[in-house]
Amino acid sequence: MKTQLAGHLLVECLVAQGVTHAFGVPGESFLAVLDGFHAYRDRIRFIINRQEGGAVFMAEAHGKLTGRPGVCFVTRGPGATNASIGVHTAFQDSTPLVLFVGDVASDMRDREAFQEVNYESFFGPSTKGMAKRVERIDDARRIPEYVARAFATAMNGRPGPVVLVLPEDMLTQPVQAEPLPQVLASQAWIGPEPLSQIESALSKAQRPLLIAGGGGWTPQAAQALQRFAEAWRLPVCNAFRFQDTFDNLHPQYAGDLGIAPNPRLVQRVQQADLLLVVGARLGEMTTGGYTLLDAPRTRQRLVHIHASGEELHRVYHADVAVQATMNAAALALQTLQPPAAPPWADWTAACHADYLANLQPQPLPGAIDMPAIIATLQRLLPEDVVVTNGAGNFASWVHRFWRYRGLARGLKTQLAPTNGAMGYGVPAGIAAALTSGRLAFTIAGDGDFLMNGQELATAVQYGAKTVIVLLNNGMYGTIRMHQEREYPARISGSELRNPDFVALARAYGYAAERVTHTDAFEPALRAALARTEGTLIEIVLDPELITTRATLSAIRQAALARPAQG
């Protein structure tokens, strides 16, 4: 057994877990690990980021794409607090992630040393915290144990983030230890009795609706779910920002439940007599602020399948609650024998017709036709393109009009934060391009882009090609929309004075172009696809185009017309 620095052993353990890319911002607290990346540079790549928030978003996106934990390294104190946004994203999105934090040396601990933070308190492993587990490695000989446990915790049950704290002096110790074998995600199967209860619930239904989403899905699971839905002729919709869990071109697809969902889909949920929820948490966004479904008992019969027992009955008391992983659940559902002629065939067709009708846009003002822009992107981008976005009203254009083919066709194609983290889309797209070799398309708002636009430097450094469409309306659009609804015509804190985005992107090494009319977009996109480097296309958007359904003025006028309160 060879002797090596603990920092080198840590990297060797990552290699043993199948890690090919680690993201991070270097810090003096983990120099021994950086030296380990140099030693194992032919087997693992350390991607240097410009800010820890961008680094952990890249790791989280990698976790979403692969189903294996994304890996990120940050230094103590400010580095860890910057990275907390990605840990929160991984927790709420149920994404496997391992964050390594370089820490103060052991002999300085608990003295409020330079940049010292109590990470157990800060990341708080609990149902209300940001991480599933937070641990500190004080004994270098136990590095293999801690790393393997972190990967197992991140993947098993409801996937999520784990934080491992690395004292600086521990990493420089000479150690003799061997990495543990690669950890695989375990499967929790559905037993005969719950399957029988699900079959009974389906047999009594007249208007069933399947809602799919959450973490832990694989192509095999999505394909099995699709076969089950086809056999039972069920209408299928997706939870917020999990639109690639079911093929959007399928004749049984009913749309997605998220921000500003199709009003007809909302009605279908309310009219349903059975909701079969597979993998989704039934959180605030999917349930319209917990108002779309009555809590704690829904009017509809509820079957809820989730990987975490803690999630079952947490908000909604299910008639049938089943703890199972997505692969196991979908394969088990596939074994149920459907009736020869389910009585809800017309209901399923009507749900799909509602979805198709929602693809028809309302007339909106301005020189930019956003539905036409999305249609051009859908027509010209490759089918396996990875679509990424951060948070803001700009994302509603892809939520409503982009049609994800997704996991059932073998690849994950949507990377979007269900916790509403701004600045996610740009680094997520870069990570996808770097690690998958596929083209990434990012839609961003002006405020959203400026949260992590500096990661364009990372893309250029490593040769990642992404196509970014930046919608510039000169404001934090979501906040302005809510202001007009609650405090009409009283603008405060939502206006933006922006840089020259074209010049900024070019300074980083991206090609860039500004579009002010719809007709100019397709030539700009074709040129972007023909280039070897990434491209930013800035679209100057009329501030009136605040949502896919209503203008800013219409929202303000409706608010002013409301009777005064009190």
Side-chain angles (χ1 to χ4, degrees):
M1 186 180 298
K2 64 183 177 182
T3 300
Q4 59 182 328
L5 286 181
H8 288 218
L9 172 62
L10 179 62
V11 175
E12 188 180 12
C13 288
L14 296 179
V15 172
Q17 293 301 325
V19 178
T20 58
H21 295 76
F23 304 88
V25 176
E28 65 272 23
S29 56
F30 61 97
L31 290 176
V33 177
L34 294 175
D35 194 61
F37 281 120
H38 181 269
Y40 289 95
R41 61 190 180 279
D42 59 334
R43 302 176 66 184
I44 188 170
R45 196 177 192 189
F46 181 70
I47 304 299
I48 307 166
N49 292 95
R50 271 49 179 183
Q51 204 261 9
E52 291 86 358
V56 73
F57 278 153
M58 288 196 187
E60 197 275 349
H62 186 60
K64 274 192 173 83
L65 275 178
T66 64
R68 299 282 302 178
V71 172
C72 183
F73 282 82
V74 298
T75 196
R76 58 194 179 230
T81 53
N82 279 342
S84 64
I85 186 173
V87 177
H88 184 256
T89 302
F91 191 88
Q92 291 220 329
D93 288 37
S94 301
T95 304
L97 173 79
V98 179
L99 175 68
F100 292 92
V101 179
D103 196 20
V104 300
S106 301
D107 60 352
M108 298 185 185
R109 189 178 177 189
D110 299 328
R111 292 176 171 177
E112 197 182 347
F114 180 59
Q115 299 181 332
E116 184 179 10
V117 169
N118 184 318
Y119 301 104
E120 290 83 356
S121 299
F122 181 72
F123 288 107
S126 71
T127 55
K128 296 182 180 180
M130 285 192 285
K132 292 182 70 175
R133 185 187 293 273
V134 181
E135 293 186 325
R136 178 186 177 94
I137 308 177
D138 288 311
D139 186 342
R141 295 169 299 179
R142 296 181 64 187
I143 286 174
E145 170 195 340
Y146 279 98
V147 171
R149 182 163 59 238
F151 274 69
T153 303
M155 288 188 293
N156 286 320
R158 174 185 169 184
V162 173
V163 178
L164 286 182
V165 181
L166 311 172
E168 182 177 356
D169 55 332
M170 183 276 296
L171 292 173
T172 60
Q173 294 173 6
V175 62
Q176 287 187 341
E178 295 290 337
L180 290 171
Q182 187 179 68
V183 174
L184 301 177
S186 60
Q187 299 297 316
W189 292 88
I190 301 180
E193 184 176 348
L195 269 179
S196 177
Q197 292 174 334
I198 294 170
E199 190 170 41
S200 175
L202 283 166
S203 68
K204 296 173 183 176
Q206 296 294 315
R207 297 177 304 280
L209 183 62
L210 193 158
I211 303 173
W217 288 92
T218 65
Q220 293 75 22
Q223 290 158 6
L225 184 78
Q226 183 165 311
R227 288 191 292 267
F228 161 70
E230 288 170 345
W232 286 81
R233 301 180 192 176
L234 295 168
V236 181
C237 67
N238 292 135
F240 176 52
R241 289 183 170 165
F242 289 105
Q243 290 166 258
D244 62 349
T245 310
F246 195 84
D247 187 352
N248 296 184
L249 269 65
H250 197 283
Q252 290 166 221
Y253 185 61
D256 70 293
L257 292 168
I259 297 174
N262 181 1
R264 294 186 185 180
L265 177 58
V266 170
Q267 292 176 351
R268 295 290 178 185
V269 174
Q270 294 168 335
Q271 294 166 357
D273 59 3
L274 173 66
L275 297 178
L276 176 54
V277 181
V278 185
R281 287 198 301 114
L282 291 179
E284 178 185 354
M285 304 312 295
T286 297
T287 63
Y290 305 107
T291 61
L292 178 56
L293 303 179
D294 293 342
R297 293 286 295 184
T298 60
R299 294 190 303 274
Q300 309 86 338
R301 188 169 177 81
L302 175 62
V303 175
H304 194 184
I305 302 173
H306 199 274
S308 170
E310 293 178 346
E311 193 60 36
L312 298 170
H313 302 307
R314 183 178 183 181
V315 179
Y316 296 99
H317 187 88
D319 298 279
V320 182
V322 183
Q323 183 179 359
T325 50
M326 295 307 97
N327 274 354
L331 289 171
L333 290 172
Q334 195 180 221
T335 67
L336 298 179
Q337 295 301 312
W344 51 75
D346 291 344
W347 161 263
T348 299
C351 288
H352 182 61
D354 290 345
Y355 166 69
L356 294 178
N358 191 52
L359 295 175
Q360 303 303 312
Q362 289 90 339
L364 292 169
I368 296 294
D369 182 345
M370 278 305 302
I373 296 287
I374 301 300
T376 301
L377 287 159
Q378 188 97 62
R379 175 166 49 87
L380 295 182
L381 293 179
E383 189 173 289
D384 68 348
V385 66
V386 182
V387 181
T388 79
N389 62 265
N393 272 21
F394 65 87
S396 63
W397 299 105
V398 287
H399 290 339
R400 179 176 175 185
F401 295 112
W402 186 270
R403 306 185 74 179
Y404 292 90
R405 305 309 304 273
L407 279 165
R409 297 177 66 87
L411 293 170
K412 183 161 183 61
T413 55
Q414 183 183 29
L415 299 177
T418 68
N419 72 331
M422 293 182 69
Y424 179 89
V426 170
I430 295 167
L434 277 174
T435 63
S436 74
R438 293 151 60 193
L439 179 67
F441 155 58
T442 297
I443 187 166
D446 44 353
D448 176 80
F449 175 84
L450 287 172
M451 295 281 184
N452 272 313
Q454 76 284 342
E455 298 303 336
L456 293 191
T458 303
V460 172
Q461 180 169 342
Y462 293 101
K465 175 179 177 176
T466 68
V467 175
I468 300 170
V469 171
L470 190 159
L471 306 184
N472 182 1
N473 62 1
M475 60 184 174
Y476 287 121
T478 304
I479 308 307
R480 176 68 181 279
M481 175 188 70
H482 289 302
Q483 276 184 331
E484 294 291 2
R485 285 175 174 167
E486 304 300 327
Y487 306 98
R490 295 163 66 182
I491 303 167
S492 176
S494 56
E495 294 178 293
L496 294 175
R497 180 172 178 176
N498 287 318
D500 182 333
F501 286 112
V502 170
L504 181 61
R506 289 174 179 169
Y508 280 120
Y510 260 51
E513 188 169 345
R514 182 174 293 110
V515 168
T516 57
H517 293 81
T518 305
D519 291 345
F521 180 74
E522 182 168 334
L525 178 59
R526 288 185 179 277
L529 294 175
R531 295 187 186 101
T532 57
E533 71 268 34
T535 301
L536 182 145
I537 303 172
E538 177 192 3
I539 295 180
V540 181
L541 199 63
D542 189 329
E544 282 292 310
L545 269 67
I546 198 67
T547 77
T548 67
R549 304 180 195 279
T551 64
L552 203 60
S553 295
I555 293 170
R556 181 188 307 125
Q557 290 165 8
L560 290 170
R562 287 197 306 262
Q565 297 292 319

